[in-house]
Amino acid sequence: MYDLVIIGSGPAGLSAAIYGVRAGLKLVVIEKDYEGTGQVALSSCVDNYLGLPGMDGYSMGEKFREHAVGFGVEFLEAEVSQIEKSSSIYVINTSDGNKLETKTVLYATGATHRKLGAPGEEKYDTKGVSYCATCDGAFYRKKTAAVIGGGDTALDDALYLSGICEKVYLIHRRDSFRAAEITVRKIKEKENIELVLNSTVTEILGTDKVTSIKVNNKLTGEDSILDVSGVFVAAGSVPSTQAVPSDVNLDPAGYIIADESGITSAPGFFTAGDVRTKALRQVITAVSDGANAVTSITHYLENM
Ligand code: NAP
C-alpha cells in the first residue's frame, strides 16, 4: 500500500516526488514510455526558469530527474488504464495488468500537442509533420519549413529552426502573437523568417513526404501554396485526462478543476501542473504545484 501514487513524471510530478520522499511518504511515480521529462523536453530553450537561463528543455528535465533519482524516488514505467476507489483506497490499474493500492493519487499528466486537424496532418506525421522542433529540426537543414501557431512554443521553434533551415514560414491565424514580447522582437529581426499572418493551413500536401502546404488568408479569402519540406505544428496543448475518475470535476476545456493546493472534487485525488485549471502553464508553476500538492496530501493523510 502506497501513501501516494504520482501519475506523470514531468516537472510537477518530479517536484511532488522530491517533496513527498522528504516528507517520508511511501510513493511511486508512474510514467508512460520515458522520452524525457514531459512537454518541457520538447522546448528548445526555457529562458524563464529561475537560475537556469538559456537551458534547453530536455537537459532541464534530465536535471529534475537526476534530482529525484538521487533522492531514491521509485519509478514504474506503465500506462494507467483505470483508477478505481474502494472505500478510502484508490486502486491504480495499468494496461500491463498491474494493480497498485494507494491512499492518495497525484494526477500530474500534463497535456499533449493539439493537432490542426488539417487533411494530410496524420498521413504525413513523421514524414514531414512534426510537433517537436528540437527533436526533428536537424532533418530540415538548409531546407524550408513552416511553423504553425502564435504562442511561445511556435515562436521559439521558429527561432530555433531559423538557425538550421534556409527559410522558415511562421503561420499564425491572427495578426498578433501571444508569445513574450522579447521573443516577438527577435522573430521580427530574423531575415529568414517570413510571417504569414491571418492565415490557416488548410491542407498538407506531399508524395511519400511533405512537399507543400495550402494556406488560406482569412482576410482576402485567397489560397496559396507554399513549398516546404517540414511542418512544425505548435498549436498549444490539450490536457491528458484519460484515466481521471468520473467524480473528479473538469472545466469545459477538459482541465481538472483545482487551485494551487491541488485539491480536486474527489477526496484523496490531487492534481498538479499543466493538467489543472490555471492561468500560467510554465515549468516554474508546475514545479511549485507539485510542492503545494504534497502539502495538501500530507494534511489529508494525517486526517485520514
Ligand atoms: P499556446 O500559448 O496555447 O499557443 C498556441 C497557439 O496556437 C496560439 O497562438 C493559437 O492561436 C494557436 N492555435 C491553436 N489552435 C490552432 C489551430 N487549430 N490552428 C492554428 N493555430 C492554432 O501554446 P504554447 O505556445 O505551446 O504555450 C503553452 C504555455 O507554455 C504558455 O503559457 C507559454 O507561455 C508556455 N511556454 C513558454 C515558453 C518559454 O517561456 N520559453 C516556451 C514554450 C511554451 P491564438 O493565439 O489565435 O489562440
Side-chain angles (χ1 to χ4, degrees):
M1 167 77 69
Y2 289 100
D3 295 317
L4 169 62
V5 169
I6 297 170
I7 304 170
S9 61
L14 291 184
S15 158
I18 288 165
Y19 273 75
V21 164
R22 284 169 57 88
L25 304 185
K26 179 172 162 50
L27 64 85
V28 62
V29 176
I30 303 183
E31 59 184 356
K32 266 206 291 207
D33 315 327
Y34 178 70
E35 291 173 355
T37 301
Q39 288 270 102
V40 65
L42 307 181
S43 190
S44 53
C45 178
V46 183
D47 233 354
N48 53 5
Y49 191 86
L50 192 65
L52 299 173
M55 183 170 262
D56 71 276
Y58 190 87
S59 307
M60 180 179 273
E62 287 293 283
K63 269 192 170 291
F64 293 165
R65 198 181 170 82
E66 276 165 30
H67 190 167
V69 169
F71 273 52
V73 170
E74 179 188 344
F75 287 88
L76 174 67
E77 199 169 291
E79 184 164 1
V80 173
S81 52
Q82 200 188 11
I83 302 173
E84 296 164 305
K85 197 165 188 191
S86 158
S87 64
S88 60
I89 300 302
Y90 281 95
V91 181
I92 314 287
N93 296 280
T94 65
S95 46
D96 53 5
N98 247 330
K99 280 182 187 291
L100 281 75
E101 289 188 340
T102 179
K103 295 174 192 164
T104 63
V105 178
L106 180 66
Y107 206 87
T109 48
T112 55
H113 314 290
R114 177 178 289 119
K115 306 225 166 172
L116 295 177
E121 183 178 14
E122 227 166 277
K123 178 175 175 189
Y124 293 111
D125 191 356
T126 71
K127 296 178 185 124
V129 174
S130 169
Y131 299 85
C132 176
T134 38
C135 316
D136 300 328
F139 298 129
Y140 303 95
R141 191 166 298 283
K142 301 220 184 317
K143 295 182 179 171
T144 299
V147 176
I148 299 144
D152 279 307
T153 303
L155 273 68
D156 280 355
D157 285 359
L159 281 175
Y160 175 75
L161 291 168
S162 72
I164 298 172
C165 301
E166 189 174 283
K167 178 167 185 156
V168 178
Y169 292 107
L170 176 58
I171 302 169
H172 181 36
R173 62 187 180 182
R174 295 185 295 123
D175 63 357
S176 61
F177 295 106
R178 56 173 78 228
E181 199 42 51
I182 186 173
T183 316
V184 176
R185 271 207 302 277
K186 284 185 196 165
I187 286 279
K188 289 182 176 164
E189 284 164 8
K190 286 279 175 190
E191 285 185 357
N192 65 341
I193 298 180
E194 181 175 332
L195 302 183
V196 182
L197 302 178
N198 299 306
S199 297
T200 52
V201 172
T202 51
E203 192 169 358
I204 298 171
L205 304 156
T207 49
D208 54 332
K209 53 188 183 188
V210 169
T211 54
S212 61
I213 48 178
K214 191 192 270 187
V215 177
N216 178 262
N217 183 307
K218 288 163 60 185
L219 299 184
T220 64
E222 275 173 28
D223 285 333
S224 55
I225 300 286
L226 300 178
D227 292 335
V228 298
S229 310
V231 179
F232 289 86
V233 179
S237 51
V238 283
S240 302
T241 52
Q242 293 84 346
V244 171
S246 56
D247 59 340
V248 176
N249 292 341
L250 308 180
D251 78 355
Y255 291 91
I256 299 174
I257 296 174
D259 63 14
E260 59 276 0
S261 69
I263 297 170
T264 72
S265 53
F269 192 96
F270 298 83
T271 188
D274 284 4
V275 73
R276 82 165 173 92
T277 48
K278 63 191 330 194
L280 186 62
R281 293 193 169 82
Q282 304 264 293
V283 179
I284 204 153
T285 62
V287 164
S288 67
D289 271 11
N292 276 317
V294 170
T295 304
S296 306
I297 288 163
T298 48
H299 282 151
Y300 175 86
L301 289 168
E302 279 159 16
N303 295 307
M304 237 184 128

